[in-house]
Amino acid sequence: MDSRAFAGLAVQYRPARLNPAGVCLYCETRWCRSSKCIEAHAASLWAPCPVCDGFSFGRCNNCMNGVVEVSRDGLIELADRVLPRRAEEPVAYAVAA
C-alpha cells in the first residue's frame, strides 16, 4: 500500500479526539489540551469494527461508534475489505406518536 493511500485510510476512520460533550478519548478530561493526548490521537489508526461493520449505534461491545483503534498491520489487513452498504439485519426503530 503506498503511503498516500495509507495516510488517507488513517484519517478517514479516525474519530474526533473530543467527543460531542468535549471529553477527551484518551484522558477523559473535558476540553483537554494535553500535548500527549493530541500527539496520541494524531498517531492513532482507526478502522471499521470487524464485529459490527460500523453499524453499532451503541449496541456493539467491541467498538466506539462503529470504529476500533488498530495497528498499522490491522489497518492494512482491513484496507482490502469490502464493507456492506447496509447492516445484515435490519434494525427496527419505534416511532413515538
Side-chain angles (χ1 to χ4, degrees):
M1 171 181 297
D2 80 23
S3 61
R4 287 179 306 175
F6 185 80
L9 277 175
V11 172
Q12 179 179 357
Y13 298 113
R14 184 182 298 142
R17 185 177 61 82
L18 302 180
N19 74 10
V23 178
C24 179
L25 296 176
Y26 297 94
C27 70
E28 298 183 352
T29 300
R30 192 173 313 276
W31 305 300
C32 165
R33 292 184 170 184
S34 164
S35 60
K36 284 176 87 172
C37 293
I38 292 168
E39 290 168 11
H41 185 254
S44 68
L45 303 173
W46 296 77
C49 176
V51 173
C52 72
D53 286 328
F55 295 102
S56 74
F57 302 105
R59 296 182 306 267
C60 179
N61 292 326
N62 188 61
C63 65
M64 182 183 73
N65 296 323
V67 294
V68 292
E69 193 166 3
V70 295
S71 66
R72 179 181 173 90
D73 290 340
L75 186 61
I76 290 170
E77 180 181 317
L78 293 171
D80 293 328
R81 191 167 158 229
V82 177
L83 296 170
R85 286 181 57 89
R86 296 186 156 284
E88 299 236 347
E89 296 177 24
V91 179
Y93 293 97
V95 178

